[in-house]
Structures are given as structure tokens and as C-alpha cells.
């Protein structure tokens, strides 16, 4: 029997709506923290998801005030990395002593050096948490690491479309297996999402970081899809150079990656005409996750005296384009 929990999805973008629809359809009690037109859409229509499994439309309790939702047992943070500083302090009314907080966020997480026991134990990743605000906002003993391989987009508020399989990998920050980790895995699996638990969450994290780093910033510069980024010979060369810089950095931090560069590039090409989430954000004039996906990796490389010249240039160009020639959706 799957565990029954009080679950809140904080953030109602494509990933948040995907999780909310799947978890709610599996019988869990799910609420959503959302604001503005998204909150209004959820109240009127519930959350709507079309994916490889089915088309779902489920009623959902939505609020723009965390205090009205009450204490939760499980909170999925599904906002973009730039929004964490504003979101986390607001969640205090929902967090009790046993609440688990699961950040579903791209890039290097603020918790990276907490619980890993290395020589940087307890350090702050300045690019994502310059003043330690995120580390102070939530007891890190209540945080579970999460790496999400779900490709989805939101065509309208409260809606999500996905045409790829769903996979979520969860792990304790201190690299242990625990009953609460297994309970979390069971909840996700029961929702029709492939779920794995691991003793080495940072290995899986680096795999996702590298996927984001090699595709997202370059997509903003070029407007290219995943198929073009990884398949076009001119772009593929840039992707390969960034890939090797990132692999060297990951290895310096002891990551054990089952990642063959050729297979990685072929898999990216096979994803087809998918536009990255960063490109979609750029086109809508939203803040980009360049700090978490790019700057933080460069910061980690600098700690190990590793140069990342190609990655630096790509991040610089992506940031320049986002600041000086933003596109707006019609």
C-alpha cells in the first residue's frame, strides 16, 4: 500500500503541474502554491496534464497564501532557481518538524556542500546562495536531494504537456539510505513516474547539470532545438567542448558518471525538436537560470583551479543576449 501524505507543490509551472496531476491522480492529497493568473486557472479548471500515460484533468486546492494550506508532510519546490530566495521564507507556515522538502530545481543546488563530508563541507555556493539565505531558510536535515528528468512545457496557466518518459531520482544529502527516502520513492513511483533512490545523489545531479549546461545557454544564443544543438556539426562541436570541461569538473568532485560522450550526444539528438526550458523562458522575457546552471559550475571549477573557457564564453553570450535583446511572446 502506498503511503498517504499531505503534499504541496510550490510552483505551478510545467514540472509542478506534471507532478501535481500525477500525484493527485494516484490518490494523494495534493495542494498547490501558486499566484496570479496561474492560481486563478487552477481554481477554475484544476490542473491539466497530457503526457505519454494519459490526459488528466484533476481538481486541485490552490492558494496564494502558504498559511492557509497548513502544515505539510511533503513539499516539492518546483520554482525556477532565481525564485527560491523569495519562495523559501514564505513556506515556514507549511513546514513542521517532520516535513520533507524536495527541491525540484535545475543547476547546482544551494545544499551541494551540506552533508557530503568533503573538504568543502558546509561551504556556500556563492552563485546560488551568496549570503547563505537559502541554507538558513530551511533545516537542511529536512531536505531530500532530487534530480528530475522530465521534459515538459506549459502552453497555458495550470497546464502541462510532456512527450517523454518521466524519471525522478532522490537521495539523502548525507549519502545514506533511509526509511523516509524509500517512502518518498514509493509515493513518486505510485504516481506513474519512474522513481529511483540512490546513496550518491550528486552523481545523478552532475548528469543533469551537464545536460543543462551543454544545451540551455547555447539554445538562448542560437534559438536551436535539442536536435540541432547535439546534431548540427557546427553546434555539436561547441557542445562537445563544454561537455568535456564539465566532465573534468565533475570528476574533480569525485562524481562517478556513467556517461559516454558519443552516446550522450546521440541521445540529445534523438530528443528531436525540443526547445529548452531556458529558451522558452528567454522568449517569454523571464529571468534565466544562468547562475545555477552556468555560474555555479564555473565557481566549482575555480575551486579546483580548472579553467572552463568555452563554458565561460557561452554563459557570457547568453547573459548578454538575455539582458540586451530580450524577445517577448505575442
Amino acid at each position: 500500500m502506498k503511503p498517504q501524505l499531505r503534499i504541496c507543490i510550490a510552483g505551478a509551472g510545467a514540472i509542478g503541474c506534471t507532478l501535481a496531476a500525477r500525484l493527485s491522480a494516484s490518490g494523494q492529497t495534493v495542494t498547490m502554491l501558486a499566484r496570479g493568473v496561474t492560481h486563478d486557472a487552477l481554481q477554475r479548471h484544476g490542473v491539466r496534464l497530457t503526457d505519454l500515460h494519459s490526459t488528466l484533468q484533476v481538481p486541485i486546492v490552490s492558494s496564494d497564501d502558504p498559511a492557509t494550506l497548513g502544515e505539510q508532510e511533503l513539499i516539492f519546490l518546483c520554482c525556477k532557481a532565481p525564485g527560491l530566495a523569495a519562495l523559501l521564507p514564505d513556506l515556514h507556515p507549511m513546514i513542521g518538524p517532520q516535513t520533507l522538502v524536495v527541491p525540484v530545481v535545475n543547476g547546482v543546488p544551494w545544499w551541494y556542500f551540506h552533508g557530503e563530508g568533503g573538504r568543502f563541507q558546509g561551504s556556500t555556493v556563492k552563485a546560488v546562495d551568496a549570503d547563505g539565505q537559502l541554507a538558513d531558510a530551511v533545516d537542511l536535515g529536512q531536505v531530500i536531494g532530487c534530480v528530475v528528468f522530465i521534459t515538459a512545457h506549459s502552453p497555458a496557466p495550470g497546464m502541462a504537456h510532456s512527450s517523454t518518459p518521466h524519471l525522478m531520482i532522490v537521495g539523502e544529502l548525507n549519502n545514506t539510505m533511509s526509511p523516509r527516502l524509500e517512502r518518498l520513492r514509493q509515493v513518486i513511483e505510485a504516481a506513474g513516474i519512474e522513481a529511483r533512490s540512490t546513496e550518491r545523489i550528486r552523481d545523478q545531479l552532475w548528469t543533469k547539470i551537464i545536460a543543462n549546461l551543454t544545451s540551455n545557454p547555447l539554445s538562448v544564443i542560437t534559438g536551436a532545438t535539442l536536435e540541432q544543438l547535439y546534431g548540427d556539426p557546427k553546434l555539436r562541436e561547441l557542445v562537445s567542448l563544454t561537455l568535456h570541461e564539465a566532465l573534468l569538473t565533475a570528476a574533480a568532485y569525485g562524481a562517478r558518471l556513467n556517461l559516454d560522450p558519443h552516446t550522450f550526444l546521440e541521445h540529445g539528438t534523438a530528443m528531436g525538436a525540443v526547445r529548452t526550458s531556458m529558451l522558452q523562458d528567454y522568449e517569454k522575457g523571464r529571468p534565466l537560470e544562468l547562475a545555477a546552471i552556468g555560474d555555479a559550475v564555473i565557481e566549482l571549477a575555480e575551486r579546483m583551479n580548472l579553467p572552463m573557457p568555452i563554458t565561460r564564453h557561452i554563459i557570457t553570450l547568453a547573459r548578454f543576449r538575455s539582458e540586451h535583446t530580450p524577445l517577448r511572446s505575442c
Side-chain angles (χ1 to χ4, degrees):
M1 181 180 296
K2 65 178 180 295
Q4 297 293 313
L5 303 174
R6 295 187 304 278
I7 302 174
C8 180
I9 310 295
I15 301 301
C17 286
T18 299
L19 286 179
R22 288 255 132 248
L23 289 165
S24 183
S26 74
Q28 295 290 350
T29 302
V30 179
T31 58
M32 296 190 79
L33 182 63
R35 294 184 170 88
V37 295
T38 302
H39 170 53
D40 295 339
L42 291 170
Q43 286 189 314
R44 289 196 306 269
H45 307 296
V47 64
R48 292 162 287 176
L49 169 68
T50 300
D51 63 10
L52 293 179
H53 295 276
S54 59
T55 296
L56 297 171
Q57 181 166 356
V58 295
I60 208 85
V61 174
S62 170
S63 177
D64 56 6
D65 181 3
T68 65
L69 297 177
E71 186 175 309
Q72 304 291 310
E73 294 173 275
L74 177 59
I75 300 174
F76 287 99
L77 304 180
C78 295
C79 70
K80 298 285 187 177
L84 281 173
L87 175 65
L88 280 182
D90 289 345
L91 299 183
H92 287 168
M94 296 195 297
I95 300 177
Q98 302 302 317
T99 304
L100 292 184
V101 178
V102 182
V104 184
V105 183
N106 284 331
V108 178
W110 83 91
W111 52 258
Y112 187 88
F113 289 120
H114 297 274
E116 52 91 35
R119 65 188 174 103
F120 299 117
Q121 166 65 29
S123 297
T124 299
V125 182
K126 299 295 185 181
V128 293
D129 192 18
D131 56 4
Q133 179 183 353
L134 300 183
D136 292 339
V138 178
D139 181 351
L140 287 163
Q142 295 179 250
V143 175
I144 297 285
C146 180
V147 183
V148 176
F149 295 94
I150 297 176
T151 301
H153 71 281
S154 180
M159 296 180 64
H161 284 182
S162 177
S163 59
T164 58
H166 305 327
L167 168 64
M168 295 180 69
I169 303 172
V170 291
E172 294 279 6
L173 305 194
N174 63 0
N175 298 326
T176 62
M177 303 297 282
S178 65
R180 69 179 192 174
L181 184 65
E182 175 58 19
R183 181 174 65 164
L184 173 61
R185 190 200 65 77
Q186 290 176 10
V187 167
I188 297 170
E189 185 177 71
I193 298 170
E194 183 182 354
R196 304 174 192 167
S197 55
T198 177
E199 294 177 323
R200 295 181 58 86
I201 188 62
R202 290 167 184 82
D203 291 353
Q204 302 299 330
L205 181 65
W206 272 108
T207 299
K208 180 66 181 292
I209 288 170
I210 290 171
N212 283 328
L213 183 66
T214 56
S215 60
N216 280 265
L218 189 56
S219 74
V220 171
I221 301 168
T222 63
T225 65
L226 291 181
E227 182 178 28
Q228 293 169 324
L229 289 168
Y230 292 108
D232 183 282
K234 298 181 289 297
L235 298 180
R236 189 181 180 110
E237 181 178 359
L238 279 175
V239 169
S240 295
L241 291 169
T242 305
L243 171 61
H244 284 91
E245 290 181 355
L247 284 172
L248 185 59
T249 303
Y253 283 91
R256 304 172 189 169
L257 303 184
N258 183 22
L259 193 159
D260 169 63
H262 176 77
T263 303
F264 175 82
L265 294 171
E266 291 301 307
H267 178 73
T269 304
M271 292 290 286
V274 173
R275 292 156 59 251
T276 70
S277 60
M278 188 176 286
L279 177 58
Q280 294 177 56
D281 286 341
Y282 168 74
E283 292 174 340
K284 294 176 181 178
R286 295 172 178 165
L288 305 187
E289 296 178 291
L290 288 170
I293 288 175
D295 298 338
V297 179
I298 293 171
E299 179 183 332
L300 295 185
E302 288 176 341
R303 288 180 184 235
M304 296 294 189
N305 296 314
L306 296 173
M308 297 190 79
I310 303 302
T311 302
R312 280 183 183 276
H313 292 324
I314 290 174
I315 298 300
T316 298
L317 290 171
R319 179 166 283 117
F320 178 86
R321 189 162 198 217
S322 71
E323 292 174 350
H324 294 278
T325 56
L327 298 176
R328 299 288 174 177
S329 58
C330 297

